[in-house]
Amino acid sequence: MRQAGLFGLSDHMKRLSADGDPLEVLARIVDFEAFRPTLVAALGYSDGTKGGRPPYDPVVMLKVLVLAAQNNVADGRMEWLIRDRLSWLRFLGFDLGAATPDANTIRMFRERLTAVGALDTLFADFDRQLKARGYLPMGGQIVDATLVAAPKQRNTEAEKAAVKAGRSAAEIWPDEPARARQKDVDARWTLKFAKARPTADGKPQPDIAIPSFGYKSSISICRTFGFIRKGQVTDGARYDGRMLRDVVTSDNTASDVWADTAYRSQSNERWLKAQGRVSRIHRRKPKGRPMPAHVRRGNATKSKIRTRVEHVFAHQKAVMGLFIRTIGIERAKAKITLANLAFNIHRLIFHERRAAMG
């Protein structure tokens, strides 16, 4: 058999580039070095005078987290894929055969950033990059939320009651520490409602209620460019309308705010007005009466704009495969914040490539 050589490997990498390696595009468009000050300040690495193996470069490790978020890869799988994929090795800057991060290193890096709240700072850093490149929050903002699924919990009625009462896993299962470590007492069940199709004769059917378990990701996006400008993570049972004030930003150049009927309340309307924002929130159907024609037309007009936020969730779930594998809300927040950052990176590449072609 012919043995592969260095020249063969070099030619192979050149072919990857010629075919349009998306990670080369990512490295060219996104300034990852701009994240270094935040990473260094958050991690507090020693200067190496005490000896020991030096840590991996924090910018490289952030790239690892971005790759994992883009592909919904668990830490153990990530360890293997970094060694296996030549394009990933090149993007991360590792030589073939050199030491690469293992699953524990990746997990500890992410949890260290989570513990000091650095992921939110990194997300804000990237938003500043976007603004510096001319992608200002413009055209108003669109607010929505989606349920991010987590592994379902199988508990007894007494255990469910203890979870709802806010007791910790250690309190609920004091004699089973191994079991307690695998129980997520922060995620919640909720019902997702879907419109049922009418029958063949046009008769409407009751809406379908689908029980779902997990966390809720609430976001606002700017209408003009579609970037996520702010996000919050809660348990899955949190009512959408309560999150409006947590995700509406004050820096959008237009005052309009679009959202579905879950966000319409007198309190939210008053708050938006006090903030100098104009409510474009859908109006509800009057109870026991048909929807007025002018309200129906107004909601339809708003839907043409509001639907853009659904594309964000569709990309995160269908393309990135967003799913919570970890235990606890802090780790879920880290997962979803990284997914939001990865989406904004994807969106920046889309805009930059379109600008280059036009």
Side-chain angles (χ1 to χ4, degrees):
M1 294 180 62
R2 181 181 176 185
Q3 188 173 5
L6 291 177
F7 290 108
L9 177 61
S10 176
D11 291 341
H12 182 78
M13 299 305 291
K14 288 179 180 178
R15 286 198 296 272
L16 285 179
S17 298
D19 291 338
D21 180 2
L23 293 184
E24 284 193 310
V25 177
L26 172 58
R28 184 175 67 252
I29 291 177
V30 177
D31 181 12
F32 281 97
E33 277 299 317
F35 295 111
R36 187 176 294 278
T38 295
L39 291 169
V40 171
L43 296 168
Y45 287 152
S46 68
D47 57 8
T49 56
K50 295 183 178 180
R53 190 177 69 178
Y56 289 101
D57 183 86
V59 174
V60 172
M61 292 301 298
L62 178 61
K63 290 181 178 181
V64 171
L65 296 187
V66 169
L67 282 179
Q70 287 179 333
N71 298 276
N72 189 34
V73 178
D75 296 338
R77 179 69 174 169
M78 194 69 194
E79 175 186 348
W80 186 84
L81 286 172
I82 292 172
R83 293 198 303 265
D84 178 68
R85 295 191 176 181
L86 292 176
S87 60
W88 287 28
L89 281 174
R90 178 168 66 179
F91 172 67
L92 298 172
F94 291 121
D95 292 329
L96 190 64
T100 54
D102 60 17
N104 282 335
T105 301
I106 298 169
R107 177 179 59 83
M108 292 300 294
F109 180 78
R110 183 178 57 251
E111 295 208 344
R112 194 166 181 177
L113 293 178
T114 302
V116 298
L119 291 175
D120 288 333
T121 306
L122 291 169
F123 183 85
D125 285 346
F126 190 67
D127 193 59
R128 280 191 290 273
Q129 282 193 47
L130 295 175
K131 292 174 182 176
R133 298 174 79 152
Y135 296 103
L136 301 175
M138 299 168 63
Q141 51 198 304
I142 309 169
V143 175
D144 205 356
T146 190
L147 188 81
V148 182
K152 297 178 177 63
Q153 305 287 293
R154 308 297 180 184
N155 299 325
T156 65
E157 291 301 320
E159 290 167 346
K160 290 177 183 178
V163 170
K164 289 181 180 180
R167 296 175 63 187
S168 68
E171 291 174 323
I172 301 173
W173 297 278
D175 301 324
E176 302 175 272
R179 185 183 182 190
R181 285 193 295 270
Q182 297 301 314
K183 288 293 185 178
D184 192 339
V185 297
D186 293 332
R188 290 289 185 273
W189 284 96
T190 189
L191 290 177
K192 293 176 63 178
F193 291 92
K195 291 287 184 182
R197 293 182 178 179
T199 59
D201 59 0
K203 184 178 180 181
Q205 296 294 305
D207 291 347
I208 302 171
I210 306 170
S212 302
F213 182 80
Y215 294 91
K216 188 163 286 185
S217 170
S218 300
I219 63 171
S220 65
I221 69 169
C222 61
R223 177 188 174 188
T224 301
F225 297 112
F227 291 111
I228 300 172
R229 297 297 181 172
K230 195 172 182 181
Q232 293 288 340
V233 179
T234 62
D235 64 77
R238 183 68 63 90
Y239 185 62
D240 293 1
R242 293 176 59 187
M243 301 305 298
L244 181 77
R245 305 181 189 193
D246 295 297
V247 294
V248 168
T249 64
S250 59
D251 59 354
N252 200 289
T253 59
S255 59
D256 306 272
V257 176
W258 286 267
D260 62 29
T261 54
Y263 294 88
R264 178 167 282 279
S265 68
Q266 292 182 3
S267 175
N268 281 345
E269 293 295 305
R270 286 194 299 267
W271 182 82
L272 286 172
K273 186 175 181 180
Q275 302 301 310
R277 301 284 140 184
V278 177
S279 172
R280 305 295 183 190
I281 301 176
H282 283 220
R283 293 186 177 273
R284 293 189 177 95
K285 175 183 173 295
K287 190 172 183 179
R289 291 182 293 162
M291 177 75 84
H294 72 281
V295 175
R296 184 172 61 251
R297 289 193 299 269
N299 283 350
T301 300
K302 295 170 185 174
S303 290
K304 294 178 181 178
I305 296 173
R306 196 196 65 79
T307 191
R308 298 177 189 180
V309 73
E310 301 294 348
H311 300 310
V312 178
F313 297 139
H315 181 88
Q316 289 184 322
K317 292 183 178 183
V319 179
M320 295 166 54
L322 181 57
F323 181 83
I324 303 299
R325 294 188 180 90
T326 53
I327 304 296
I329 192 167
E330 292 305 318
R331 289 172 176 168
K333 286 179 179 178
K335 176 85 172 181
I336 293 172
T337 300
L338 285 166
N340 290 345
L341 175 61
F343 173 82
N344 278 356
I345 289 173
H346 157 80
R347 192 70 182 167
L348 174 62
I349 293 172
F350 165 78
H351 283 299
E352 292 288 295
R353 296 180 78 170
R354 187 172 68 172
M357 290 187 296

